[in-house]
Amino acid sequence: MTAEIWDVIIVGAGLSGLSAAHLLRKRNAKLKILILEGKDRVGGRTVSTDIPAANGVDRWDFGGQWVGSTQTHIFELIKELGLETFAQFNIGKKVHHMGGPGAKVRTYRTSIPALSPMVLMDLAQLLWKMNRLCATVCVQDPCKTPNAVELDSMTLHSYIKQHVWTAELKEEMGVCSRSVFGLEPSQMSFLFFLMYAAAAGGVLPLLESTPGSAQEFKIKGGTQQLSQCLAERVGWKNVRLSSAVTAIWQDAEWARVTTSTNTFFGRAVIVTCPPHLAAKIHYHPALPSQRGFLTQNMPVGHMIKFIITYRTAFWKEKGLSGEIVAGSSSGCPFCVTFDATSPSGNAALVGFISAQQASQWSSKEGGERRKAVISSLVKYLGLEAASFIHYEEKDWAKEDYSGGCPVNVMAPGLLTYYHPSLRKPCGRIHWAGTETATLWCGYMSGAVQAGQRAALEVLAELYPLTLTQEEQEAVQHSLTVKDPVEQTPTFQLTYFSTTKAIVIAPLAIGAVLFLAQNQNARLMVKTYLANAFF
Amino acid sequence: MTAEIWDVIIVGAGLSGLSAAHLLRKRNAKLKILILEGKDRVGGRTVSTDIPAANGVDRWDFGGQWVGSTQTHIFELIKELGLETFAQFNIGKKVHHMGGPGAKVRTYRTSIPALSPMVLMDLAQLLWKMNRLCATVCVQDPCKTPNAVELDSMTLHSYIKQHVWTAELKEEMGVCSRSVFGLEPSQMSFLFFLMYAAAAGGVLPLLESTPGSAQEFKIKGGTQQLSQCLAERVGWKNVRLSSAVTAIWQDAEWARVTTSTNTFFGRAVIVTCPPHLAAKIHYHPALPSQRGFLTQNMPVGHMIKFIITYRTAFWKEKGLSGEIVAGSSSGCPFCVTFDATSPSGNAALVGFISAQQASQWSSKEGGERRKAVISSLVKYLGLEAASFIHYEEKDWAKEDYSGGCPVNVMAPGLLTYYHPSLRKPCGRIHWAGTETATLWCGYMSGAVQAGQRAALEVLAELYPLTLTQEEQEAVQHSLTVKDPVEQTPTFQLTYFSTTKAIVIAPLAIGAVLFLAQNQNARLMVKTYLANAFF
């Protein structure tokens, strides 16, 4: 055993930890910063891997991959690091399959799925209600949301059950929950869902690949580069891989961080790993019990992500975008696929086996899973789907020092009682990781925002003079949790008055009913929903 | 570091671990059994402590304390160890305070609280519905329960909100949840609640101190004796205290169990600690991901238990039983108290600050908490309550290697996807602890049952000839999870047909309305409910 002395020790070399280190380093080049990582690589929940493709070999993201233009924190980082983005391909017909294996497979061109007028009306009223609630959520301090206890006492499933009229939309919402969280709607608090959506600017931005949404762009060369470039700037010598932290001891002078082979002393610690992993670290003195209750009950999603490469993007030739959305009743193992053709033109699809379906398929043999995926692709895209070059998948539940993906949610009854413990520092320990973000929480952008916020907290404590007045106030604000309603990044959510609602709702329903008759007018429905309700 | 070789290594020296060891030892006296415990004492969630009392000093339980006559596993153990029980005192008027700080404080004599006819009718229909559902639950394999996914997708809170008509009963159900689980109704799956009740024989047995219920008897000299006597029989030399297990490695021949200072090799391991602590152990090879998802999402209750000793049991002199039930709106820090006068006559009350109230009061200064408790006792029992001898409390959230009490529940969406991982052995590792019990799960009796079941599993693997044919079948049955409906200990729950329900429900409501007018007839209501509906 050796003992080393550092200024700041960061637990986790993912985007959040490395963003924290990068900001610290920029503010004070003399700071001794150590980053400890359990995995044998940087990047956390982002990993880019080379696999066989049409032109030999190419690289794809097997973890976080998309960024959206309203995700300012990640976009600034991309710019600073000199990386390039390219748009998610979404031109052509999308495939939509709900209502059981025998139900008709439909196609549509807009971002509002090919739903019957009744289901579209149902969707309009649901989005209207949800976004109306979203506008009341205080992301910074969700306990302040009107009716917080009630909203936090029910699952997303219960809300959907109460407020959705049609079986098809219920199935649709299941797909949304699986695609976004890797969890079923039964596994999270409805207030958590609202907070998550509010941090992204509304419900639709979570789901779409349109401007401002979560699936808008990808990064050329893969997202893991972000962490690799950051590690470069912070200095690889300060990043220790395969060094899982087992315990953090604190006394009046130092935080002592131990791995299985080493002990490190630091003046401040930033823990960035997901809550369920942070809960495994031994803390002495023990953390406040509220922090324990919080991290012990934030389930992490389960996603198996696959990339399948082809000679040509045959779906494009057929006028399809490559997007498939399949309900749990469809018998299809995945819930969603997208075109994943690389910037250099190597044709590929990306898909997700998620939540209950991941749980069910995870224990099966790899070959069986692949066969089921291919068989569904053939069903939805045609026989050409069977002639693939390579199928590669990643089950994030089986990844050491992750154990799940993409994000930890909150089970009911947590936010209203234990939320203040999410970001509140415990002595010398500060908390980061995308789960602690207030803008695009759960996304790569949230990871950056949270890392930077924790870094500012540390600076405010150790070197307050390196902060601007504005930053000092921001830190103070974040620590005191006083803001009634967090501003969303792109637009301000508006709380509709009941009177306004009474006027607008029937108008919306009528408009939707009328427009839904016309396939080409669906885009108008979308625009209408986005503008009128958000 | 030393390395020792054992036959069976048990993680946790609580009732479950020691019961397992005791059964193993009885079957094969030559077995080398090692029990590793993180705490510096045996007993887990049971601990008996001496505190000042009227006649000098006396002993009270600050953890699990009650046993009921239908809890056959714990009763057999009590008999075998030669311990004695005594009845929970419940004669006299009980105090009941719901509906806000200004609401009338009522008293009543039966086990059905002093409720208005409307609330009584509401209670009758709720119990009828809940018990009807209970009767359909398969404790052994809850996924087989009719409508399991739906029941597991809602919180207990959501069910109460949908099916309870009166605000007072809603508050009442909150008290029940806090008293039984140390958690709010929002924090658990409704299917989990039904399973828990079914494992106890119904909803009322969880709540009452009447024959067959959970709060029927106490153990003279305290419940920690059970573990101490078992440790004696197993041999104290085989129990290592202050030896928290940090990792379990398995290979073809051995399980290797490590603490911070030692390594032990065993042919089988029984892990008995609560799920949130089992989740902190490092396993290699990693456990199936489903097991991880399960244990990461089983919130543990939060209870602060207090004992307050007096010169005399002044409440008895006033015709009061010492039982107080106070709703969260009452402004009272505790949810329930009972008489706790010791068998040698030292007057005392026991009470619980629980769930949201524990969270709120836990961070306050001890003196402030005590003052609030005393002030409420004075309000409900009279000025004499202020002249106490000693006030002692235990916050289980702050106890190392517990972190909460009395039990871990399951958040929504767990049972239907991950439940099979609860008891399914992982290689050489077997799972015990009261959370894995199928009879009186969550109670001391469940801890014993689970420990014995795990011991039989180990014997079936290592020494199958030491088991009877019946036991071998029981192990097989437990491992394959095939039984459609688990039998309850005292009576068989019956699934009412809809027709029967249509006839019985109005009869019940009419009867309740009639009987509720008469204070003395309340006992009949209770008997009626118990006989007709269960």
Side-chain angles (χ1 to χ4, degrees):
Chain A
M1 294 244 182
T2 58
E4 302 176 20
I5 292 178
W6 299 80
D7 290 310
V8 185
I9 300 173
I10 296 171
V11 182
L15 258 177
S16 207
L18 289 161
S19 296
H22 183 52
L23 191 146
L24 287 167
R25 168 72 80 239
K26 283 200 286 188
R27 291 305 174 92
N28 186 340
K30 288 182 185 167
L31 270 185
K32 285 191 69 186
I33 302 163
L34 174 70
I35 303 158
L36 298 169
E37 169 59 51
K39 299 180 199 279
D40 59 4
R41 59 169 182 82
V42 299
R45 287 169 263 184
T46 60
V47 63
S48 313
T49 311
D50 286 343
I51 60 168
N55 301 329
V57 93
D58 209 339
R59 182 164 296 180
W60 275 273
D61 282 320
F62 283 84
Q65 71 173 108
W66 283 291
V67 293
S69 51
T70 61
Q71 298 178 341
T72 48
H73 290 85
I74 193 88
F75 258 85
E76 276 172 24
L77 184 64
I78 290 168
K79 199 174 146 194
E80 184 184 347
L81 298 176
L83 299 177
E84 277 178 77
T85 60
F86 65 108
Q88 169 62 42
F89 179 79
N90 62 5
I91 299 161
K93 284 184 290 179
K94 299 164 187 175
V95 177
H96 192 254
H97 193 206
M98 303 274 160
K104 195 185 159 200
V105 177
R106 296 178 189 172
T107 56
Y108 64 103
R109 285 186 183 275
T110 63
S111 60
I112 294 283
L115 303 166
S116 72
M118 185 56 85
V119 180
L120 264 183
M121 190 170 75
D122 200 9
L123 175 63
Q125 65 88 20
L126 179 72
L127 284 175
W128 179 75
K129 279 183 187 163
M130 279 187 168
N131 280 307
R132 196 162 158 259
L133 285 170
C134 253
T136 70
V137 171
C138 172
V139 177
Q140 187 81 15
D141 187 4
C143 321
K144 287 191 181 137
T145 306
N147 212 17
V149 173
E150 195 54 45
L151 297 171
D152 191 36
S153 294
M154 68 171 86
T155 61
L156 173 58
H157 174 100
S158 291
Y159 184 85
I160 292 170
K161 202 188 163 203
Q162 275 171 44
H163 295 272
V164 170
W165 315 324
T166 58
E168 188 170 338
L169 187 60
K170 280 180 191 159
E171 194 178 359
E172 193 85 34
M173 292 308 294
V175 174
C176 294
S177 172
R178 265 170 246 132
S179 310
V180 174
F181 301 100
L183 289 157
E184 298 294 326
S186 60
Q187 296 180 272
M188 77 193 78
S189 146
F190 180 54
L191 180 58
F192 172 82
F193 172 80
L194 291 175
M195 183 189 76
Y196 198 87
V203 177
L204 280 185
L206 295 179
L207 304 172
E208 302 202 333
S209 56
T210 49
S213 298
Q215 286 73 234
E216 191 177 358
F217 296 105
K218 293 181 280 191
I219 296 176
K220 283 188 186 170
T223 54
Q224 201 183 354
Q225 285 176 106
L226 290 164
S227 295
Q228 288 158 340
C229 293
L230 284 171
E232 196 83 44
R233 302 217 174 180
V234 174
W236 280 103
K237 67 178 190 305
N238 300 315
V239 182
R240 305 273 170 96
L241 302 176
S242 304
S243 301
V245 168
T246 54
I248 304 176
W249 300 68
Q250 297 185 70
D251 62 27
E253 273 188 274
W254 294 102
R256 181 155 55 91
V257 180
T258 61
T259 66
S260 62
T261 51
N262 283 73
T263 298
F264 306 92
F265 288 84
R267 296 168 66 199
V269 178
I270 300 176
V271 175
T272 72
C273 50
H276 68 287
L277 298 181
K280 287 192 179 188
I281 297 173
H282 179 81
Y283 300 90
H284 187 90
L287 301 181
S289 48
Q290 300 208 347
R291 168 88 201 168
F293 289 120
L294 179 76
T295 54
Q296 277 155 28
N297 203 14
M298 287 184 64
V300 62
H302 189 179
M303 276 192 180
I304 305 171
K305 182 173 182 178
F306 62 83
I307 301 278
I308 182 162
T309 57
Y310 289 96
R311 294 264 153 243
T312 59
F314 64 88
W315 51 93
K316 293 186 186 176
E317 294 154 20
K318 291 176 147 186
L320 296 163
S321 72
E323 186 175 327
I324 305 168
V325 173
S328 57
S329 72
S330 64
C332 172
F334 53 79
C335 56
V336 68
T337 66
F338 289 93
D339 175 89
T341 301
S342 74
S344 54
N346 283 305
L349 292 167
V350 57
F352 300 89
I353 305 172
S354 187
Q356 179 202 355
Q357 289 168 314
S359 167
Q360 179 192 329
W361 283 97
S362 173
S363 50
K364 295 194 178 164
E365 205 259 312
E368 195 181 342
R369 207 158 43 235
R370 186 181 59 205
K371 205 172 138 192
V373 167
I374 308 291
S375 151
S376 285
L377 289 176
V378 167
K379 177 174 169 186
Y380 298 129
L381 303 179
L383 259 179
E384 303 94 320
S387 309
F388 61 95
I389 297 172
H390 186 79
Y391 171 92
E392 183 82 29
E393 60 176 21
K394 183 162 187 72
D395 185 345
W396 279 89
K398 291 181 179 162
E399 162 103 354
D400 269 349
Y401 305 105
S402 283
C405 206
V407 67
N408 293 62
V409 305
M410 293 190 192
L414 268 199
L415 273 171
T416 38
Y417 305 131
Y418 306 120
H419 181 271
S421 303
L422 185 64
R423 286 183 287 271
K424 193 178 178 184
C426 299
R428 298 178 178 278
I429 306 175
H430 299 259
W431 309 103
T434 189
E435 284 81 4
T436 69
T438 50
L439 291 176
W440 285 100
C441 156
Y443 290 82
M444 292 187 283
S445 195
V448 175
Q449 186 228 336
Q452 292 176 348
R453 189 252 316 135
L456 289 179
E457 277 174 26
V458 168
L459 289 173
E461 214 172 277
L462 301 184
Y463 307 96
L465 295 179
T466 61
L467 299 195
T468 64
Q469 182 66 25
E470 206 179 9
E471 286 169 341
Q472 285 190 16
E473 277 165 18
V475 168
Q476 208 49 43
H477 166 78
S478 158
L479 295 179
T480 49
V481 183
K482 266 185 184 165
D483 196 24
V485 178
E486 175 79 14
Q487 298 296 310
T488 54
T490 43
F491 50 80
Q492 182 162 6
L493 295 166
T494 320
Y495 196 141
F496 276 68
S497 71
T498 314
T499 331
K500 203 171 167 190
I502 289 166
V503 177
I504 287 176
L507 277 177
I509 291 166
V512 166
L513 266 173
F514 170 77
L515 290 168
Q517 304 301 322
N518 184 338
Q519 176 73 13
N520 292 332
R522 283 172 196 279
L523 193 61
M524 286 171 67
V525 177
K526 162 65 201 331
T527 315
Y528 177 72
L529 286 171
N531 297 340
F533 296 149
F534 288 35
Chain B
M1 293 245 182
T2 59
E4 302 177 21
I5 292 179
W6 300 79
D7 290 310
V8 185
I9 298 173
I10 296 170
V11 182
L15 259 176
S16 208
L18 289 161
S19 296
H22 184 50
L23 190 147
L24 288 167
R25 169 70 84 237
K26 283 199 286 188
R27 291 304 173 91
N28 187 339
K30 288 183 186 166
L31 271 185
K32 284 190 70 186
I33 302 162
L34 175 69
I35 303 157
L36 297 170
E37 168 60 50
K39 298 180 200 280
D40 59 3
R41 60 170 181 82
V42 298
R45 286 170 266 185
T46 61
V47 62
S48 313
T49 310
D50 287 343
I51 60 167
N55 301 326
V57 93
D58 209 340
R59 183 164 296 183
W60 276 274
D61 282 321
F62 283 84
Q65 71 172 108
W66 284 291
V67 293
S69 51
T70 61
Q71 298 178 338
T72 48
H73 290 85
I74 193 87
F75 257 88
E76 276 172 23
L77 183 65
I78 290 168
K79 198 174 149 196
E80 184 184 350
L81 299 177
L83 299 177
E84 277 178 76
T85 60
F86 65 108
Q88 169 62 43
F89 179 80
N90 62 4
I91 299 161
K93 285 183 290 179
K94 298 163 188 176
V95 176
H96 191 255
H97 193 206
M98 302 276 162
K104 196 185 156 198
V105 177
R106 297 177 188 171
T107 58
Y108 63 103
R109 287 186 182 277
T110 63
S111 60
I112 294 284
L115 303 167
S116 73
M118 185 55 85
V119 181
L120 263 181
M121 190 171 78
D122 201 10
L123 176 63
Q125 65 87 21
L126 179 72
L127 284 174
W128 179 75
K129 279 182 185 162
M130 278 187 168
N131 281 304
R132 194 162 159 258
L133 284 170
C134 253
T136 70
V137 171
C138 172
V139 178
Q140 188 80 18
D141 187 4
C143 321
K144 288 192 180 134
T145 306
N147 211 18
V149 173
E150 196 53 45
L151 296 171
D152 190 36
S153 295
M154 68 172 89
T155 61
L156 173 59
H157 175 98
S158 291
Y159 184 84
I160 291 169
K161 200 186 165 204
Q162 274 171 44
H163 295 273
V164 170
W165 315 323
T166 57
E168 188 169 338
L169 188 59
K170 280 179 192 158
E171 192 178 0
E172 194 85 33
M173 292 308 294
V175 174
C176 294
S177 173
R178 266 170 244 132
S179 310
V180 172
F181 301 99
L183 289 158
E184 298 295 324
S186 60
Q187 296 180 273
M188 75 191 80
S189 146
F190 181 54
L191 180 58
F192 172 84
F193 172 81
L194 291 174
M195 182 188 77
Y196 198 88
V203 177
L204 279 185
L206 295 178
L207 304 173
E208 301 203 333
S209 56
T210 49
S213 298
Q215 286 73 234
E216 191 177 359
F217 296 106
K218 292 179 279 191
I219 296 177
K220 283 188 185 169
T223 53
Q224 200 183 354
Q225 285 176 107
L226 290 163
S227 295
Q228 288 158 339
C229 292
L230 284 170
E232 196 84 43
R233 302 218 174 180
V234 174
W236 278 103
K237 66 180 190 303
N238 301 316
V239 182
R240 306 273 170 96
L241 302 176
S242 305
S243 301
V245 169
T246 53
I248 304 177
W249 299 68
Q250 298 186 68
D251 61 27
E253 272 187 274
W254 295 103
R256 180 154 56 93
V257 180
T258 61
T259 66
S260 62
T261 51
N262 283 74
T263 299
F264 307 93
F265 289 85
R267 296 169 64 199
V269 178
I270 300 176
V271 174
T272 73
C273 49
H276 67 286
L277 298 182
K280 288 193 179 189
I281 297 173
H282 179 81
Y283 300 91
H284 187 90
L287 301 181
S289 48
Q290 301 210 346
R291 168 89 199 165
F293 289 120
L294 180 76
T295 55
Q296 276 156 28
N297 202 14
M298 288 183 64
V300 62
H302 189 181
M303 275 191 180
I304 304 170
K305 182 174 182 178
F306 62 84
I307 301 277
I308 182 162
T309 57
Y310 288 96
R311 293 265 154 242
T312 59
F314 63 88
W315 51 93
K316 293 187 186 175
E317 293 154 18
K318 291 176 145 185
L320 296 163
S321 71
E323 187 176 326
I324 305 167
V325 174
S328 57
S329 72
S330 65
C332 172
F334 54 78
C335 56
V336 66
T337 67
F338 290 94
D339 175 89
T341 301
S342 74
S344 55
N346 282 306
L349 291 168
V350 58
F352 301 89
I353 305 171
S354 187
Q356 179 205 356
Q357 289 169 314
S359 167
Q360 180 192 330
W361 284 96
S362 174
S363 51
K364 295 196 179 162
E365 204 260 313
E368 196 183 341
R369 206 158 44 234
R370 185 181 61 205
K371 205 173 140 195
V373 167
I374 308 290
S375 151
S376 285
L377 289 175
V378 166
K379 177 175 171 184
Y380 297 130
L381 304 178
L383 259 177
E384 303 93 320
S387 309
F388 61 96
I389 296 171
H390 186 80
Y391 171 92
E392 184 83 28
E393 60 176 20
K394 185 164 184 72
D395 184 345
W396 280 88
K398 292 181 178 162
E399 164 103 354
D400 270 349
Y401 306 106
S402 283
C405 206
V407 67
N408 293 61
V409 305
M410 293 189 192
L414 269 198
L415 273 171
T416 38
Y417 306 130
Y418 306 119
H419 183 270
S421 304
L422 185 65
R423 286 184 287 271
K424 193 178 179 184
C426 298
R428 298 176 177 279
I429 306 175
H430 299 259
W431 309 102
T434 189
E435 283 81 6
T436 70
T438 51
L439 291 176
W440 285 101
C441 156
Y443 290 82
M444 291 187 284
S445 195
V448 175
Q449 186 229 335
Q452 291 176 347
R453 189 253 316 135
L456 289 178
E457 278 174 26
V458 168
L459 288 173
E461 214 172 276
L462 302 184
Y463 307 96
L465 296 178
T466 60
L467 298 195
T468 64
Q469 182 66 27
E470 205 179 9
E471 284 168 342
Q472 284 189 18
E473 278 163 17
V475 169
Q476 207 52 42
H477 166 78
S478 157
L479 295 181
T480 49
V481 184
K482 266 184 182 168
D483 195 23
V485 179
E486 174 79 13
Q487 299 295 310
T488 53
T490 44
F491 48 79
Q492 181 161 7
L493 295 166
T494 321
Y495 197 140
F496 277 66
S497 72
T498 315
T499 331
K500 205 172 167 190
I502 291 167
V503 178
I504 287 176
L507 278 177
I509 291 166
V512 166
L513 268 174
F514 170 76
L515 290 167
Q517 305 302 322
N518 184 338
Q519 174 73 11
N520 292 330
R522 284 172 195 277
L523 194 61
M524 286 172 66
V525 177
K526 161 66 201 322
T527 316
Y528 176 74
L529 286 171
N531 296 340
F533 296 148
F534 290 32

